[in-house]
Amino acid sequence: MPLLEVQNLRIEFPSRHGVAVAVDDINFEVNAGEIVGLVGESGAGKSTIGNGIIDLLSPPGVVAAGDVFLNGEKISGLDAEEMYSVRGNRIGFIFQDPMTSLNPLFTVEQQLVETIMINMKVSKAEAKKRALEMMVQVGIPEPELRIKQYPHQFSGGMRQRVVIAIALSCEPELIIADEPTTALDVSIQDQILDLIRGLCKEKNVGCILVTHDMGVIANVTDRVCVMYHGNIVESGTTEQIMGSPKHAYTKCLISAVPRTDIKLVRFPLVDYIESAEVEPSKIDLATHWLGKNMDFALDGGNILTVEHVNLRFETRHAFLKKNRKYVHASKDVSFTIKEGETFGLVGESGSGKSTIARIIAGLYKEDSGKIIFAGQELTAISERQRRPLRRQMQMVFQNPYSSMNPRMTISDIIAEPIRFHKLADSEQQISGIVDDLLDHVGLGSKAGVKFPHEFSGGQRQRISIARALATRPRFLICDEPTSALDVSVQAQILNLLKDLQDELGLTMLFISHDLPVIRQMCDRIGVMRYGALVEVAETETLFTAPEHEYTKTLLSLIPRVDGLSREGLQIAEVSA
């Protein structure tokens, strides 16, 4: 008897515009000790299945038909109190967005202890001990100190580890992991996947792994279900799906996996005639809005210089300075970025990558050091003097949902910087620009009337990119811009960024834990660890002949996808 059995599952979202079918006639099984992967584009219905199984669908979503069985017991249709005893205790859930799934008003310890006490029926002292053990298991440094802190004091990757610790803390029968490694670097990803894999094999726990990372699928799962438009179009063993896929859409997904062995001119795309996404439109910058009124000159020199930047955050406050504790987020960091170049920053979550980006953007104030942008020392001018430079420097944030106002439509979100910087003469012109930008990022102009909650995580990230482009920036800071995107949409977006860079002369600071993406996108790479920059090198030099031991370790942990089918691909390598 399978551990989990899903029969003819159909999930609908009724609205005044009609009924949207998110998942239709889904059938699959998960056996004890088995890891089953769900893959597909953002919006395909992967996360909806997980939410439907444990009755956590966002209103007005409903399970319209079908049954779900856990160890032979029907759990679909249970009332709220009965389902409450299933969630956490029998089924653990790792959510896609760690910031919105953690309570910002409670410490990590309070949230872990509450979960353990409710589901395992243990004393508070035992729950605290178990909570600390889980912090260690998921690789959070200084667990005794960090467990007392609040979610906002953690980096994106470390918040994800906290969510994983909460999900695994009660030793559930089944784990539903919705993009569990999205915000994690390769070293922590490897550790977390080992933890999930070990739990499944040693304790006979089943796992549904929702992910867009085909490397993770290839290395972790036993079987794979490929989803498209709310349907499972192909399923089979991991070896069969990755090595010899049958369905055209599966081939499309696999072909778009970034290469780890060579650098390509562009990310390969395989056309799929039924694609739901809008193909990003081409730009003629001679006549296009994005190419007009560029009031800056491209001289080919250094557009950004970071000199000896330091920043530390207080982790424990005390009246006496000597009793205060700090974490050094940035330690004497120095590097330059040339005009038109893409400079990559890699490293573990919590290594200081995003901190440096926020210092450059003016969101954090450095303790010491200099930031020089386009010949002006940003650290020496006032906020008012800096404001005109903000139009030339835009940021794509790691967490797209928390960087958007949930009460604004997508059109208003993208139009806001255009209005603020007075880049258009009329509302009619603004509306045309917004529609155009939505077309360019592959969403289509009709998306403008919707709100952020109506989009998947990957679609929200594309909205963030459109908003960043709205000011016609000179310098783009991309903080994990594709972390929430499946590989096919990721290829579209990264090709779009490459095109925009070539056509507009854009310079990019590209932060990512995805090393294959970094190799394809960047000209030079800086490697960060514990707030310090340990190595800077040309991309191919770093990947083929790394000098620092930490860099060598990172590269050795890249998930390999040996035997990957790349049938039908036409690609061009970057000439040496």
Side-chain angles (χ1 to χ4, degrees):
M1 181 175 64
L3 171 65
L4 179 79
E5 190 173 3
V6 177
Q7 297 179 349
N8 309 115
L9 185 67
R10 179 183 173 91
I11 297 174
E12 298 176 349
F13 286 82
S15 72
R16 62 183 178 178
H17 303 296
V19 175
V21 180
V23 168
D24 189 24
D25 196 28
I26 294 295
N27 294 272
F28 69 94
E29 298 177 350
V30 180
N31 297 311
E34 181 182 46
I35 302 176
V36 175
L38 288 181
V39 298
E41 291 185 353
S42 55
K46 311 183 299 295
S47 299
T48 303
I49 289 177
N51 292 329
I53 288 172
I54 62 172
D55 195 26
L56 281 181
L57 290 169
S58 300
V62 292
V63 176
D67 298 305
V68 179
F69 297 89
L70 183 64
N71 264 333
E73 176 187 343
K74 184 178 176 180
I75 62 170
S76 52
L78 294 178
D79 62 36
E81 188 174 342
E82 290 171 323
M83 182 54 76
Y84 187 75
S85 66
V86 173
R87 288 196 296 262
N89 187 23
R90 299 185 64 190
I91 300 178
F93 202 107
I94 301 172
F95 292 93
Q96 181 176 0
D97 187 348
M99 193 58 185
T100 55
S101 59
L102 293 171
N103 192 324
L105 301 179
F106 293 95
T107 66
V108 167
E109 182 180 49
Q110 288 172 311
Q111 297 182 63
L112 266 166
V113 167
E114 180 186 27
T115 302
I116 295 167
M117 288 181 67
I118 290 173
N119 292 294
M120 299 187 76
K121 311 300 181 187
V122 297
S123 68
K124 192 169 185 178
E126 291 173 309
K128 284 186 175 182
K129 182 180 177 182
R130 173 71 177 161
L132 198 58
E133 289 173 356
M134 292 308 302
M135 293 283 282
V136 173
Q137 279 193 38
V138 296
I140 293 178
E142 301 182 280
E144 295 88 353
L145 174 65
R146 300 311 298 269
I147 200 171
K148 303 289 185 183
Q149 296 178 343
Y150 292 85
H152 74 271
Q153 295 175 279
F154 287 73
S155 69
M158 284 199 277
R159 282 196 293 265
Q160 187 68 290
R161 282 182 261 176
V162 171
V163 171
I164 292 168
I166 292 172
L168 302 183
S169 61
C170 300
E171 300 181 349
E173 300 170 44
L174 175 74
I175 299 166
I176 301 175
D178 188 2
E179 302 283 4
T181 60
T182 289
L184 303 182
D185 55 86
V186 288
S187 57
I188 302 303
Q189 173 180 278
D190 187 66
Q191 184 177 337
I192 293 302
L193 293 176
D194 273 346
L195 184 63
I196 294 174
R197 193 162 38 211
L199 192 66
C200 292
K201 302 308 177 188
E202 295 166 16
K203 300 192 177 180
N204 228 24
V205 174
C207 179
I208 299 174
L209 181 61
V210 177
T211 183
H212 59 261
D213 191 325
M214 303 304 284
V216 169
I217 287 290
N219 285 272
V220 176
T221 61
D222 301 296
R223 290 188 295 114
V224 183
C225 298
V226 181
M227 292 197 65
Y228 176 70
H229 270 198
N231 297 282
I232 294 177
V233 296
E234 185 171 4
S235 62
T237 64
T238 302
E239 183 179 2
Q240 180 262 308
I241 295 294
M242 300 299 286
S244 55
K246 302 293 188 293
H247 197 276
Y249 177 67
T250 310
K251 294 176 182 179
C252 174
L253 275 183
I254 292 175
S255 66
V257 176
R259 299 290 291 261
T260 61
D261 51 345
I262 56 174
K263 185 170 184 176
L264 308 177
V265 174
R266 291 176 62 80
F267 287 81
L269 298 173
V270 174
D271 292 332
Y272 183 57
I273 58 172
E274 299 175 16
S275 177
E277 303 296 339
V278 178
E279 182 68 22
S281 55
K282 301 297 181 183
I283 299 173
D284 180 5
L285 286 173
T287 57
H288 194 274
W289 176 80
L290 281 173
K292 290 182 178 179
N293 303 321
M294 295 175 68
D295 55 2
F296 50 81
L298 303 178
D299 59 16
N302 290 334
I303 189 172
L304 182 79
T305 301
V306 177
E307 291 184 0
H308 308 295
V309 168
N310 290 276
L311 178 63
R312 61 180 185 172
F313 296 111
E314 189 178 276
T315 57
R316 189 177 76 181
H317 183 71
F319 180 74
L320 296 175
K321 285 188 177 181
K322 66 178 183 179
N323 292 332
R324 296 174 189 171
K325 287 195 173 181
Y326 298 88
V327 59
H328 288 268
S330 176
K331 297 180 184 176
D332 198 37
V333 173
S334 298
F335 61 88
T336 60
I337 302 180
K338 299 173 185 176
E339 196 129 46
E341 175 183 50
T342 300
F343 185 87
L345 277 182
V346 299
E348 293 181 336
S349 56
S351 64
K353 308 185 300 295
S354 296
T355 298
I356 286 293
R358 282 166 168 77
I359 292 172
I360 293 169
L363 301 177
Y364 289 164
K365 176 64 177 173
E366 68 288 341
D367 294 332
S368 62
K370 292 181 181 180
I371 305 290
I372 301 169
F373 175 70
Q376 295 194 52
E377 188 179 332
L378 302 182
T379 46
I381 59 178
S382 68
E383 177 58 32
R384 185 175 181 179
Q385 292 171 314
R386 185 170 182 160
R387 187 172 296 174
L389 293 173
R390 288 192 181 277
R391 184 184 74 77
Q392 297 184 26
M393 182 190 295
Q394 289 294 308
M395 188 165 182
V396 179
F397 292 93
Q398 181 177 359
N399 187 336
Y401 193 61
S402 63
S403 65
M404 296 179 192
N405 188 330
R407 297 183 179 182
M408 292 173 67
T409 65
I410 299 309
S411 287
D412 285 335
I413 287 171
I414 296 173
E416 188 175 29
I418 301 174
R419 294 188 181 110
F420 180 82
H421 291 286
K422 298 179 175 58
L423 299 178
D425 298 326
S426 66
E427 285 299 313
Q428 184 178 1
Q429 187 182 7
I430 291 174
S431 178
I433 292 168
V434 169
D435 290 348
D436 198 43
L437 286 169
L438 285 169
D439 283 337
H440 287 321
V441 297
L443 284 175
S445 58
K446 291 181 180 179
V449 299
K450 297 181 180 179
F451 291 86
H453 73 272
E454 298 181 76
F455 294 87
S456 67
Q459 289 167 327
R460 286 196 289 261
Q461 191 64 289
R462 280 182 272 172
I463 293 164
S464 295
I465 292 171
R467 179 179 57 187
L469 294 175
T471 66
R472 297 193 295 257
R474 180 180 189 180
F475 181 66
L476 204 59
I477 302 172
C478 301
D479 187 2
E480 301 281 5
T482 59
S483 63
L485 303 183
D486 58 83
V487 288
S488 59
V489 178
Q490 171 181 271
Q492 282 188 2
I493 293 301
L494 294 177
N495 280 343
L496 175 64
L497 287 172
K498 283 190 170 191
D499 289 342
L500 289 167
Q501 182 178 33
D502 292 341
E503 296 164 343
L504 288 171
L506 274 177
T507 305
M508 288 193 286
L509 172 60
F510 198 95
I511 298 167
S512 180
H513 63 267
D514 191 328
L515 291 172
V517 167
I518 282 283
R519 182 170 193 172
Q520 301 302 322
M521 288 296 295
C522 299
D523 302 298
R524 289 187 301 130
I525 300 172
V527 182
M528 294 195 70
R529 190 182 194 194
Y530 300 144
L533 199 60
V534 298
E535 183 171 0
V536 177
E538 300 286 334
T539 297
E540 290 308 293
T541 301
L542 187 128
F543 272 84
T544 56
E547 294 183 359
H548 199 278
E549 286 302 316
Y550 176 66
T551 308
K552 294 175 183 177
T553 301
L554 279 183
L555 295 176
S556 70
L557 293 173
I558 298 175
R560 303 296 173 185
V561 281
D562 298 329
L564 194 69
S565 171
R566 296 190 184 271
E567 179 185 345
L569 285 184
Q570 292 184 348
I571 56 178
E573 295 183 33
V574 172
S575 58

